[in-house]
Amino acid sequence: MEYSVELEGIRKVYGPVIANDDISIKVRKGSVTCIVGENGAGKSTLMNILYGLEQPTAGTIRINGETVRFSSSRDAIKKKIGMVHQHFMLVNELSVLENVIIGMEPRKGPSLNYKKARAVVSELGERFGMQVPLDEKAGDLAVGIQQKVEILKILYRGAEILIFDEPTAVLTPQETRELFANIRTLTADGKTVLLITHHLDEVMEISDDIVVVRRGKVVATLKKEETDVKQLAFHMVGSALPEECQREEKQSDQVVLAVKEITVAGANKPNAVNRLSLEVHEGEILGVAGVSGNGQSELARALAGLVPVTSGSISLCDRDITRKSRRARLLDGISYIPEDRKTDGLCLQWSIAENAIAGYYVQPAYSGRFGFINRKKMNETAERIIQEYDVRTPSAAVPVGSLSGGNQQKVVIGRETVVDPKLIIAAEPTRGVDIGAVSFIHNDIIALRNKGVSVLLISSDLDEIFRLSDRIAVMYNGEIAAIVDPSSITREELGLYMAGAKKEG
Amino acid sequence: MSGKLKKALAAPAKTLFAIFVALVIGALLVLPTGTTPLEAYKELWNGAFGSKINILNTLARSTPLLFTGLAAALAFRGGVFNIGIEGQLYIGAFSAALIGIYGQNLPPVILIPLCILGAMLGGLLWAVIPGILNTKYQINLVVICTMMNNIAELFTDYLCGYPFKGDIPTNATLKLGENAWLMRFDERSELNIGFILAVVCAVLLYILMFKTRFGYETRALGLNRRFTSYIGVNVNRKILAVLFLSGMIAGLAGAEQVMGVNHRFISAFSSDYGFTGITVALLGGLNPLGVVIGALFFGALENGAIQMEVMTNVSRDLISSLQAVIIMLIAAEELIRTRRGIKKVKGAGKAPSGRERKEASAS
Ligand SMILES: Nc1ncnc2c1ncn2[C@@H]1O[C@H](COP(=O)(O)OP(=O)(O)OP(=O)(O)O)[C@@H](O)[C@H]1O
Ligand SMILES: [Mg+2]
């Protein structure tokens, strides 16, 4: 048997935290190996080690049978290893083309050969089905497209072993299918893929081999044919999942959020949201489904008060808030879980405690006379979030950036829900969190709903939409294509609305 | 408690380390001159701290750097690159001078605060233009500030050369009324009560930055502007506030020089205080308490260098070299930090889950 990657006895220690504890994995050439496990289990750490970003405390790495030592990712790239990170590493100010070729620009004499670069990159894009606008600034693109740029970037560098850290977290089901098709093309080509995901159905779809990691150790190595979602979940969590919180039947006509004909400008579109109207009732979860890039982000940001609407009106509990600032809305009880936790929702360099009061620090509980911040209250809130949301951390004083992705998300969700909001705008609330935490967050959202909180749930995960929504609004091209009842619509039908092939009325 | 203290001292400790490394490198630079480093540093030390007067003079030299260092530390913490401190200092100084000249019949208790206020307003005024141009029209702050510096220096040169020319041949205003002078501690030294004011400023600024809402927002602004608007801060308004406050502190630097040292506005009196202040701020880790150490260090260097030059054959230029070394050290540290990202975080202890901790505390 030919192995592209063999990891043996890998150990990684951060101070007293053991992120990887004697991990051994063999990856067959031309196969897809999925790494699954809870948030903070050590998956990203392991992949970072393989990609040379982190050096193992102990253990050996063999690539195609040859023992290697990577002191940086440069060494790993030389061995034809590429990685698409959980958080993108693009230079926002540069164009897509420049981002792809950066550091490996084809030259013509002293100057860059853009023509050649363009040809090579668009050929790559075509071959793997990833057409991207080469001349646009990377920072202006939707996350989904940014990821494709990342993939092109590593392919351009000639990667034979591709590592994907939660690639599907940002994709729509459609895009995920495309990605998986691409991955199959890659493996058919003899390339080897390692992939981290929290979606077990995706694991069952794409993988050949599955490695389950828990608390830094490999707890199971399985062949796909020999296992199923239930068994995987059990291996991951080490116990059965918590019971699902049931939705109480409750009808309220009270309109909490009323949006009338709003238009919102996007990065390169004057009407990313186009004369959109919707209502969210008290104790209702309105799911907004749609392929990402159809104005959902702009809608969320406009409702949260981060970008102005160019026309139309927004009211909360019958009070007009169209012109109200972000802060005023936040204090009025609009919570916002942003889709981009790393850039919007958290200040990564800050401690959990400082992040725990982000936005709410202006409340009298936290800032007293003369604008002094009440650190005791701040720490109390942080502790509360850590306990109620089971955030894995040594203390509230560590920088939030040192937490694993899922735990960072728990900090954001905790902060936005412990404040007793009237309305929660939740954009991709479970992106990148493990199945245990997903069911925890889902239960939390339902419990809030049962308490009468209104939720505007924006998600590209249809399972989530169906599981949580009282009503589903499908967004297409900045408009609501349809508002449907989840119990009386099939996924296929919803897909048609999402693709713009069907429209209500 | 001791953890808290440790944290408060962490930044100053880093500052001291940078100073130590700079001195070691400086020693290597001294070697070729024939003077032993020990000798040179001994004279430097004596020059800076050898007698009461030397100590006072060191403090006097630190004073303007302390103000400009604080102005820079605040602005840079907020990611607002106020390179215009030099210009704000000049306008502040000139405002203080005018008030001190024309208000000389007022009693000190009124006149002195008035002059100081005027200086702060002058500094602020000089920050308004770059602030507006930057936030409204997205013009690069560094570029406008640099131009504003030149304008300020030339403009005040004109003012004290023509309309407000005083009684001495050089371009300078009249003397301020004695009621506007800041009290000195010893007639042989220029050290004045402005130094105390600067230290008070440092403490206040420390509290402002790390204990208050304003500081919370400022630090957010410096780290992540998207996050800053997410938490409900109007980013542009915040940039202006930080810039204005920084300008006001820069104005204080000018006031101290005019009211406490020269007693008149002299054209181009600042020996790059505004720029050295930026180095001081970086050396101090953008922490007001670190800035105190940084300013004292630079003051001591400049003051001690005079004696060192006389007593040994090491030129005073060694000081500029040390400053350059420090800048490089800071840049190198920054580089290493950004390369590692925020990976190497301290204090990552064992990571029990929140639930485990709850269970533990419940039992
Ligand atoms: N630089 C670091 N400093 C300290 N601790 C770290 C660092 N990086 C990771 N850790 C810790 O190591 C553990 C493993 O983290 P890792 O990011 O590998 O988890 P993960 O399995 O990728 O989780 P997720 O699914 O949430 O992304 C966590 O407890 C995390 O807090
Ligand atoms: Mg991870």
Side-chain angles (χ1 to χ4, degrees):
Chain A
M1 181 70 64
E2 201 183 338
Y3 293 112
S4 322
V5 179
E6 289 164 89
L7 300 174
E8 224 175 78
I10 300 287
R11 199 177 152 77
K12 179 69 185 178
V13 180
Y14 293 108
V17 178
I18 303 174
N20 285 169
D21 191 0
D22 194 20
I23 290 191
S24 299
I25 294 176
K26 287 186 161 89
V27 182
R28 291 177 293 132
K29 185 165 162 44
S31 75
V32 179
T33 299
C34 281
I35 319 273
V36 297
E38 286 182 286
N39 293 131
K43 307 177 296 289
S44 296
T45 304
L46 186 68
M47 292 301 108
N48 287 342
I49 287 172
L50 177 56
Y51 187 53
L53 287 174
E54 301 274 354
Q55 280 65 51
T57 315
T60 47
I61 305 172
R62 274 193 296 278
I63 303 296
N64 298 319
E66 176 199 350
T67 304
V68 291
R69 283 192 85 87
F70 297 148
S71 53
S72 74
S73 57
R74 205 175 278 254
D75 299 345
I77 293 169
K78 275 198 206 117
K79 295 286 171 201
K80 297 193 184 297
I81 300 176
M83 177 157 177
V84 174
H85 290 270
Q86 201 165 357
H87 2 286
F88 303 138
M89 311 239 166
L90 298 175
V91 185
N92 286 343
E93 286 72 26
L94 294 184
S95 76
V96 166
L97 182 62
E98 287 164 329
N99 263 296
V100 172
I101 63 172
I102 194 165
M104 267 192 71
E105 303 88 347
R107 293 189 174 273
K108 192 160 73 184
S111 62
L112 296 187
N113 188 346
Y114 271 108
K115 214 163 136 202
K116 181 162 171 226
R118 183 179 299 274
V120 173
V121 175
S122 48
E123 196 269 334
L124 266 180
E126 226 147 273
R127 196 161 107 217
F128 296 105
M130 284 178 284
Q131 269 85 358
V132 288
L134 291 182
D135 297 309
E136 250 162 70
K137 274 192 191 174
D140 293 342
L141 301 173
V143 258
I145 317 256
Q146 286 185 347
Q147 182 188 55
K148 298 192 179 183
V149 179
E150 286 276 8
I151 300 174
L152 280 177
K153 198 164 122 185
I154 64 170
L155 288 173
Y156 179 78
R157 280 160 182 67
E160 287 294 324
I161 298 166
L162 291 89
I163 306 168
F164 291 88
D165 194 346
E166 298 190 31
T168 57
V170 292
L171 301 184
T172 60
Q174 175 56 27
E175 287 171 321
T176 302
R177 270 197 298 280
E178 277 174 32
L179 173 71
F180 285 177
N182 297 335
I183 287 180
R184 286 208 191 82
T185 327
L186 291 168
T187 48
D189 217 43
K191 298 191 198 298
T192 307
V193 171
L194 284 130
L195 187 145
I196 299 175
T197 174
H198 287 293
H199 291 268
L200 298 183
D201 44 343
E202 290 174 4
V203 174
M204 296 312 290
E205 189 184 334
I206 189 70
S207 68
D208 298 306
D209 300 316
I210 302 162
V211 177
V212 186
V213 187
R214 182 172 358 124
R215 306 217 163 177
K217 288 196 173 76
V218 174
V219 291
T221 311
L222 307 154
K223 289 235 166 318
K224 181 181 61 186
E225 298 77 40
E226 298 163 0
T227 187
D228 57 36
V229 169
K230 264 225 176 72
Q231 196 192 3
L232 277 180
F234 187 81
H235 278 305
M236 274 173 68
V237 190
S239 61
L241 287 178
E243 296 239 338
E244 285 193 0
C245 178
Q246 288 310 317
R247 218 191 309 231
E248 287 164 18
E249 271 321 313
K250 191 155 75 175
Q251 284 295 323
S252 166
D253 297 333
Q254 183 78 36
V255 175
V256 170
L257 177 76
V259 175
K260 286 199 190 72
E261 304 239 309
I262 59 165
T263 299
V264 184
N268 32 34
K269 223 179 170 189
N271 51 351
V273 174
N274 193 9
R275 299 173 67 82
L276 175 146
S277 301
L278 56 78
E279 280 181 354
V280 187
H281 296 205
E282 187 184 17
E284 177 193 49
I285 301 175
L286 177 68
V288 177
V291 178
S292 75
N294 274 288
Q296 298 97 316
S297 314
E298 288 83 358
L299 173 65
R301 290 174 67 82
L303 294 179
L306 283 165
V307 291
V309 297
T310 45
S311 69
S313 72
I314 305 168
S315 55
L316 182 73
C317 301
D318 287 330
R319 293 214 335 272
D320 185 60
I321 56 163
T322 317
R323 302 265 155 257
K324 279 205 177 178
S325 69
R326 159 96 182 116
R327 172 162 297 161
R329 293 187 201 191
L330 188 140
L331 296 177
D332 275 357
I334 299 187
S335 267
Y336 174 38
I337 299 164
E339 67 179 311
D340 242 330
R341 58 172 170 260
K342 301 246 167 202
T343 49
D344 286 346
L346 295 168
C347 184
L348 295 181
Q349 295 90 336
W350 278 4
S351 67
I352 296 177
E354 279 174 307
N355 276 287
I357 58 167
Y360 304 100
Y361 64 98
V362 285
Q363 289 176 338
Y366 303 117
S367 44
R369 272 201 297 168
F370 310 118
F372 279 96
I373 290 200
N374 185 337
R375 300 189 81 83
K376 193 163 152 261
K377 277 268 159 45
M378 173 177 94
N379 289 326
E380 276 170 20
T381 302
E383 284 301 329
R384 190 172 151 206
I385 292 172
I386 289 172
Q387 292 194 348
E388 288 182 16
Y389 288 80
D390 193 26
V391 179
R392 303 273 160 98
T393 176
S395 83
V398 303
V400 121
S402 76
L403 300 183
S404 76
N407 282 303
Q408 292 177 5
Q409 183 70 345
K410 290 186 203 168
V411 173
V412 176
I413 300 211
R415 177 185 71 214
E416 297 303 318
T417 51
V418 296
V419 291
D420 279 327
K422 290 198 187 81
L423 169 74
I424 300 180
I425 303 161
E428 311 289 354
T430 58
R431 175 183 287 174
V433 304
D434 66 49
I435 45 166
V438 167
S439 62
F440 180 87
I441 291 169
H442 283 176
N443 283 348
D444 197 53
I445 290 178
I446 290 176
L448 284 163
R449 166 202 176 274
N450 290 346
K451 259 175 45 191
V453 178
S454 307
V455 181
L456 186 80
L457 169 76
I458 297 176
S459 176
S460 43
D461 179 349
L462 283 187
D463 288 329
E464 181 163 83
I465 291 278
F466 273 104
R467 159 110 176 76
L468 297 180
S469 308
D470 291 297
R471 290 184 300 148
I472 301 175
V474 186
M475 231 179 137
Y476 177 73
N477 206 9
E479 295 168 16
I480 298 289
I483 292 195
V484 296
D485 180 351
S487 58
S488 63
I489 188 170
T490 62
R491 280 168 171 265
E492 286 63 35
E493 228 179 312
L494 199 67
L496 287 178
Y497 284 118
M498 283 167 65
K502 203 174 160 188
K503 203 173 166 178
E504 204 176 41
Chain B
M1 214 38 222
S2 78
K4 234 181 190 172
L5 192 68
K6 228 163 139 188
K7 215 174 142 192
L9 291 179
K14 232 192 300 182
T15 307
L16 290 176
F17 180 71
I19 289 174
F20 175 74
V21 176
L23 288 177
V24 171
I25 295 177
L28 298 177
L29 293 176
V30 169
L31 279 178
T33 63
T35 309
T36 64
L38 213 62
E39 227 176 302
Y41 282 150
K42 201 182 109 207
E43 292 305 333
L44 191 65
W45 176 266
N46 285 337
F49 304 109
S51 70
K52 184 188 158 207
I53 275 309
N54 292 18
I55 293 175
L56 295 187
N57 284 338
T58 291
L59 297 184
R61 283 190 180 259
S62 309
T63 311
L65 298 178
L66 186 43
F67 279 118
T68 56
L70 292 175
L74 171 71
F76 282 48
R77 261 284 166 176
V80 181
F81 296 106
N82 181 13
I83 310 292
I85 296 172
E86 184 85 354
Q88 290 145 17
L89 174 152
Y90 274 121
I91 301 298
F94 198 85
S95 315
L98 280 191
I99 298 171
I101 294 166
Y102 290 104
Q104 53 184 298
N105 294 327
L106 294 169
V109 275
I110 297 179
L111 185 56
I112 289 178
L114 216 57
C115 287
I116 289 177
L117 219 66
M120 291 172 84
L121 284 179
L124 174 105
L125 175 77
W126 221 241
V128 166
I129 302 169
I132 304 270
L133 288 176
N134 176 249
T135 51
K136 258 214 147 75
Y137 304 103
Q138 271 74 49
I139 300 175
N140 187 304
L141 194 59
V142 174
V143 174
I144 327 167
C145 280
T146 308
M147 293 195 303
M148 293 299 287
N149 284 342
N150 288 329
I151 298 172
E153 187 171 340
L154 295 172
F155 182 51
T156 51
D157 178 56
Y158 162 77
L159 288 177
C160 69
Y162 297 95
F164 297 101
K165 180 142 175 61
D167 48 356
I168 52 171
T170 48
N171 283 358
T173 62
L174 286 169
K175 250 188 155 82
L176 275 65
E178 285 201 30
N179 284 354
W181 296 9
L182 293 179
M183 192 193 83
R184 289 191 179 176
F185 297 103
D186 188 309
E187 72 268 17
R188 290 167 298 164
S189 168
E190 290 169 344
L191 182 71
N192 60 71
I193 200 145
F195 176 74
I196 309 285
L197 183 66
V199 174
V200 171
C201 266
V203 174
L204 289 180
L205 206 59
Y206 178 83
I207 294 171
L208 185 73
M209 259 188 207
F210 296 104
K211 308 278 175 209
T212 69
R213 257 169 70 171
F214 183 89
Y216 183 89
E217 293 170 353
T218 306
R219 286 181 291 122
L221 185 70
L223 291 169
N224 181 344
R225 287 199 178 172
R226 285 187 61 166
F227 173 77
T228 310
S229 51
Y230 170 81
I231 65 176
V233 176
N234 180 326
V235 166
N236 278 341
R237 236 185 272 162
K238 189 74 200 172
I239 291 174
L240 289 179
V242 169
L243 189 58
F244 291 173
L245 188 55
S246 169
M248 280 156 63
I249 302 171
L252 283 179
E256 187 269 340
Q257 287 291 294
V258 164
M259 298 161 66
V261 177
N262 301 322
H263 296 157
R264 58 171 96 228
F265 184 94
I266 305 171
S267 173
F269 71 88
S270 162
S271 41
D272 280 353
Y273 296 134
F275 301 107
T276 312
I278 295 171
T279 314
V280 167
L282 293 173
L283 176 62
L286 303 185
N287 177 328
L289 302 184
V291 169
V292 176
I293 298 177
L296 287 176
F297 175 65
F298 273 61
L301 277 187
E302 286 178 7
N303 190 34
I306 304 168
Q307 178 162 342
M308 180 183 73
E309 194 173 52
V310 176
M311 305 297 286
T312 70
N313 45 12
V314 178
S315 144
R316 189 197 294 225
D317 294 338
L318 175 67
I319 304 313
S320 318
S321 313
L322 286 186
Q323 295 186 359
V325 168
I326 287 174
I327 294 176
M328 282 194 284
L329 281 176
I330 295 163
E333 199 223 338
E334 203 55 36
L335 196 73
I336 293 168
R337 209 180 10 209
T338 44
R339 270 196 59 174
R340 288 197 196 156
I342 50 159
K343 289 230 178 84
K344 278 264 147 27
V345 290
K346 289 191 296 186
K350 197 168 99 55
S353 74
R355 284 197 201 121
E356 278 169 5
R357 298 214 286 159
K358 189 152 95 188
E359 279 153 20
S361 64
S363 62

